[in-house]
Amino acid sequence: MNKKELQAALAIAHLYPNKGLGQHFLVHEAVALRIASLDGFAEGAKVLEIGPGLGALTGYLIAKGACITAVEIDAGLCHFLEKKYGDAIEIHHADFLKIQLPDEFSVCVSNLPYYCASEILFKIAAHYSMPRVYVMVQKEMASRIEALPGSKQYGAMTISLRLYFTVQRLFDIERQAFYPEPDVTSSFLLLERRQNMFTEQFIRTFHVVVKSAFWGRRKPIANALARSPHCAMGKEKAHTLCSEVGVDPASRAEELSFDDYIRLTHAFLEEAR
Ligand code: SAM
């Protein structure tokens, strides 16, 4: 659907873009086609689409023969999609953050609503296991997701997501590709799930370590771990732990690599035994 067709479809269905729900609909058909031509949407692929909106992408995926399960929070949009696609897709009228579908998808795709993009990403990461996730996010958020140690954008979100995925920015999309236009450029990312099998306990502890480190972002890492309310392990133990795994106790959270955090978590768990 181009912008004129989308505006007409909205008017006929008496729908209005709800910015509170992050509704910026894709109206650049070449972008939708480009996404649908990516790996993973072949005949029979089990696709989870979060927030299909008016189906900018959905139609192209159906045409490729993919089996689409869609979760859309807006009742009006669900009604529109049911009328348009009938049995060709399975639609759940729900808040994605509040439902759990069977974990049976090979790929997930979403033009994420900006207001809850990171919550949705972490839900996909922790509650589903599809190997491939395609998401459109604000460019600034993409930069945080793919940031390198030492950069301003590198933070708890960067490292926490890396526990689940490797990240690749595929392309950027100008704001004119959406209606209504958002304030910023978007980026389209491919997240590929890592094959490592961390235990629940490891994952929980990893998040505690990362949260604690960035709680004291400007503090030396040993002080942050020692004093953070998330773990508060005491100064001596924090220093020993860092030194044991080759992390300089005086370095800052943003200077540590993903592997540093993995080693710190192993040491933390070992110490707790
Ligand atoms: N995929 C469509 C497109 O590209 O044109 C719409 C994308 S729009 C940025 C985000 C969509 O997510 C909207 O349709 C919105 O109603 C829906 N949405 C917002 N919050 C949601 C939630 N918590 N669960 C499911 N869908 C949600």
Side-chain angles (χ1 to χ4, degrees):
M1 254 190 263
N2 62 32
K3 185 168 161 185
K4 277 217 168 88
E5 290 166 342
L6 184 121
Q7 285 171 325
L10 284 171
I12 291 167
H14 303 291
L15 295 170
Y16 305 90
N18 181 339
K19 287 197 187 172
L21 289 178
Q23 291 178 357
H24 297 278
F25 302 109
L26 181 64
V27 288
H28 197 312
E29 291 177 86
V31 174
L33 266 167
R34 183 170 180 185
I35 295 171
S37 70
L38 293 167
D39 285 347
F41 300 120
E43 176 91 40
K46 288 183 84 67
V47 179
L48 171 64
E49 185 179 8
I50 302 162
L54 287 147
L57 190 58
T58 323
Y60 290 113
L61 299 178
I62 292 172
K64 292 205 75 183
C67 306
I68 317 290
T69 299
V71 182
E72 172 55 64
I73 199 169
D74 185 314
L77 293 176
C78 287
H79 185 62
F80 175 91
L81 292 169
E82 274 155 10
K83 263 175 75 180
K84 186 166 178 187
Y85 297 118
D87 289 342
I89 61 170
E90 180 183 323
I91 302 176
H92 296 264
H93 171 215
D95 178 343
F96 179 72
L97 296 172
K98 296 194 179 144
I99 59 161
Q100 178 65 42
L101 297 170
D103 183 19
E104 60 184 15
F105 304 102
S106 53
V107 58
C108 172
V109 63
S110 182
N111 173 4
L112 288 171
Y114 296 151
Y115 77 99
C116 60
S118 65
E119 287 91 336
I120 290 184
L121 265 180
F122 278 104
K123 171 122 193 195
I124 298 168
H127 295 267
Y128 293 89
S129 64
M130 67 283 284
R132 201 176 270 148
V133 178
Y134 290 110
V135 283
M136 205 182 292
V137 296
Q138 289 186 325
K139 191 174 178 185
E140 185 265 331
M141 183 172 174
S143 301
R144 284 198 281 140
I145 293 174
E146 62 176 7
L148 294 173
S151 66
K152 215 170 69 197
Q153 290 90 351
Y154 189 69
M157 182 165 108
T158 318
I159 301 156
S160 300
L161 273 178
R162 220 154 276 179
L163 189 62
Y164 305 94
F165 302 113
T166 58
V167 182
Q168 214 183 320
R169 190 194 299 225
L170 299 184
F171 50 88
D172 290 339
I173 305 138
E174 293 306 320
R175 27 194 222 103
Q176 294 78 6
F178 303 93
Y179 175 79
E181 282 185 25
D183 295 331
V184 292
T185 303
S186 297
S187 297
F188 196 73
L189 304 179
L190 165 60
L191 311 182
E192 287 184 286
R193 202 170 285 271
R194 288 175 180 276
Q195 289 307 306
N196 40 28
M197 298 295 290
F198 294 119
T199 62
E200 288 282 319
Q201 191 194 19
F202 184 92
I203 292 170
R204 255 197 325 271
T205 310
F206 181 86
H207 289 311
V208 168
V209 170
V210 172
K211 245 189 347 197
S212 303
F214 281 89
W215 166 85
R217 190 182 178 109
R218 281 169 227 300
K219 297 185 188 356
I221 182 74
N223 289 5
L225 294 178
R227 292 176 44 205
S228 141
H230 305 295
C231 72
M233 63 171 73
K235 206 166 175 178
E236 203 172 312
K237 192 169 146 192
H239 270 263
T240 316
L241 220 68
C242 290
S243 305
E244 266 173 20
V245 298
V247 167
D248 178 358
S251 56
R252 321 264 148 176
E254 66 227 31
E255 293 166 345
L256 270 57
S257 68
F258 173 72
D259 288 342
D260 289 332
Y261 283 103
I262 292 284
R263 291 201 312 282
L264 273 175
T265 306
H266 279 302
F268 192 95
L269 282 170
E270 203 52 47
E271 174 77 28
R273 270 196 197 121

